[in-house]
Amino acid sequence: MASVSLRSVHKKFGPITVLQSIDLDIEDGEFVVLVGPSGCGKSTLLRSIAGLETINGGEIHIGERQVNHVAPKDRDIAMVFQSYALYPHMDVRRNMGFSLNLRKSPTRMVVERVSAASTKLGLNSLLDRLPKQLSGGQRQRVAMGRAIVRNPQVFLFDEPLSNLDAKLRATMRTEIKALHQSLKTTAIYVTHDQVEAMTMANRIVVMSDGVIQQVGAPLELYDRPANIFVAGFIGSPTMNFFDAVIDGKQAGLADGSLLALPASAAVTEGQKVVIGIRPEHLHFTDTGIPGTVVVVEPLGMSTQVTLDAARERVTLLALERPVLAPGDRKHLTARPQDIHVFDRASGLRVN
Ligand SMILES: Nc1ncnc2c1ncn2[C@@H]1O[C@H](COP(=O)(O)OP(=O)(O)OP(=O)(O)O)[C@@H](O)[C@H]1O
Ligand SMILES: [Mg+2]
């Protein structure tokens, strides 16, 4: 196990900058999840840590060691890819032991490590099969096993569950989390999945365009996003946004309705802001922002209602089961303490 620290990491492909001055300290044993839109540089960052890409500036430390010029095989990390990348002509046992055999590890150690990992992952009955004789979920487990047997300092995962169906994803997610709790190996995990990010991470790193936007515990990011980008990226359904202008202790929305602001909002009269309200924090009231129901979606545990209000398409999540039909006119409000205020020019949080 080891800490990982990135100092001003910079990466270009030809003239195009893909990672701009990335600074990040990952503690020994931590499970860090990287999220961000497609193309923002998540895989490039993982591959740089693994040594599969050469960085153009900055430093990467794994434990005490600066690894900028250390070959991938000597960095003592194990990477699990979305594609699994199993050797098709080798059975499960040989796939799992391959990297150890490549290092000429003693046969007894290989047998012991493969056996321990296959027991942990429930692969004992599949050891003689070829990858093509396995289901997607089983292949994923073999890829995990291949990483585990190396007993690395750090695990790197690049969307390892994205080829699985929703149910299997949820099972594997729980298993990977349990595995981390027992192995306690430092892990860096890339995903597109909101639920994976929220549930697995000790800390989430939100990236966009090669820049880190915010780093924090899942609920910290959810409750206090540092800017509009993070506010819109974390949470599903996404946060509602309203353009507004500060009018005394209230925010004046595009349709003229007024919303009371949280006391903590550091704003000035006439300032242009963006108001953010999560779907579960919007409520129906007698007065408030007038809206028209567009779509009602019963989800069982909750009801998702889409409305047009204050010149925006708005989502409201109700835990009760409101009786509504498209075209119904309703009023919306939120408690001041549930309102996020961002400066419109800088995009930064001001409360
Ligand atoms: N070998 C390469 N040569 C040139 N450009 C590359 C190369 N690899 C990646 N890029 C570019 O670098 C940027 C970041 O790519 P990267 O694969 O890191 O994104 P990502 O965040 O992992 O995206 P996704 O979520 O789609 O996997 C993209 O614009 C991509 O086109
Ligand atoms: Mg990627």
Side-chain angles (χ1 to χ4, degrees):
M1 290 192 283
S3 59
V4 175
S5 102
L6 309 175
R7 287 277 160 275
S8 308
V9 168
H10 194 90
K11 171 70 185 168
K12 293 204 275 190
F13 285 115
I16 298 163
T17 296
V18 178
L19 299 175
Q20 302 185 39
S21 196
I22 300 280
D23 284 299
L24 183 63
D25 283 302
I26 297 170
E27 282 172 38
D28 188 3
E30 209 177 359
F31 197 113
V32 165
V33 173
L34 293 182
V35 294
S38 188
C40 73
K42 304 178 296 293
S43 295
T44 305
L45 186 56
L46 270 200
R47 292 171 56 81
S48 301
I49 297 169
L52 302 173
E53 301 287 355
T54 309
I55 56 175
N56 301 98
E59 291 185 22
I60 300 176
H61 285 83
I62 298 178
E64 299 297 302
R65 196 161 62 128
Q66 204 246 50
V67 296
N68 284 36
H69 302 290
V70 175
K73 66 176 176 50
D74 299 324
R75 290 196 185 190
D76 206 2
I77 52 101
M79 190 152 168
V80 180
F81 299 91
Q82 177 178 353
S83 62
Y84 314 147
L86 300 178
Y87 301 105
H89 57 288
M90 291 184 197
D91 63 22
V92 168
R93 183 181 282 108
R94 285 179 63 216
N95 258 294
M96 287 189 18
F98 183 76
S99 65
L100 294 178
N101 285 323
L102 200 64
R103 274 150 214 261
K104 313 235 178 320
S105 308
T107 309
R108 224 181 97 202
M109 178 179 129
V110 179
V111 171
E112 276 171 14
R113 293 252 190 110
V114 169
S115 152
S118 79
T119 302
K120 223 177 186 82
L121 292 162
L123 289 169
N124 283 337
S125 61
L126 305 175
L127 287 170
D128 297 321
R129 295 217 201 151
L130 294 173
K132 68 175 179 199
Q133 297 167 318
L134 301 172
S135 72
Q138 290 165 338
R139 274 179 222 160
Q140 207 284 332
R141 257 174 243 269
V142 177
M144 292 283 300
R146 204 171 48 172
I148 292 173
V149 295
R150 294 181 47 194
N151 198 8
Q153 297 274 13
V154 181
F155 283 121
L156 304 177
F157 298 96
D158 197 351
E159 307 200 39
L161 305 184
S162 57
N163 288 336
L164 306 180
D165 67 44
K167 197 164 171 205
L168 197 51
R169 265 181 102 121
T171 312
M172 285 306 297
R173 180 182 90 215
T174 311
E175 284 187 21
I176 293 177
K177 188 162 175 170
L179 204 59
H180 178 254
Q181 284 163 2
S182 82
L183 297 175
K184 298 189 168 59
T185 306
T186 312
I188 311 176
Y189 188 104
V190 170
T191 182
H192 270 107
D193 187 311
Q194 289 278 332
V195 182
E196 274 172 34
M198 293 295 287
T199 55
M200 297 174 95
N202 295 124
R203 283 188 304 158
I204 296 177
V205 177
V206 183
M207 288 176 67
S208 91
D209 286 337
V211 176
I212 292 181
Q213 295 287 336
Q214 191 173 2
V215 182
L219 293 179
E220 224 170 275
L221 265 57
Y222 192 85
D223 292 340
R224 291 190 58 79
N227 56 43
I228 295 176
F229 180 84
V230 175
F233 196 80
I234 298 286
S236 176
T238 67
M239 187 184 280
N240 298 296
F241 293 111
F242 301 92
D243 279 348
V245 177
I246 298 301
D247 180 352
K249 288 191 159 51
Q250 304 183 93
L253 307 190
D255 65 344
S257 46
L258 293 168
L259 205 56
L261 290 170
S264 59
V267 288
T268 52
E269 187 68 20
Q271 186 178 344
K272 290 182 176 168
V273 295
V274 173
I275 299 295
I277 307 175
R278 295 220 178 265
E280 69 272 26
H281 291 148
L282 268 183
H283 304 290
F284 293 122
T285 52
D286 297 334
T287 58
I289 314 165
T292 306
V293 175
V294 180
V295 175
V296 182
E297 295 166 286
L299 300 167
M301 190 157 57
S302 60
T303 306
Q304 187 170 321
V305 186
T306 305
L307 304 104
D308 281 332
R311 303 201 193 140
E312 301 290 342
R313 206 22 85 88
V314 173
T315 309
L316 177 152
L317 210 55
L319 278 181
E320 64 281 19
R321 299 184 175 183
V323 181
L324 290 171
D328 284 358
R329 320 263 292 161
K330 301 291 283 183
H331 286 89
L332 304 171
T333 192
R335 302 186 308 172
Q337 62 265 41
D338 292 330
I339 289 173
H340 305 259
V341 189
F342 304 97
D343 177 63
R344 209 185 304 171
S346 66
L348 297 177
R349 178 184 198 88
V350 292
N351 73 300

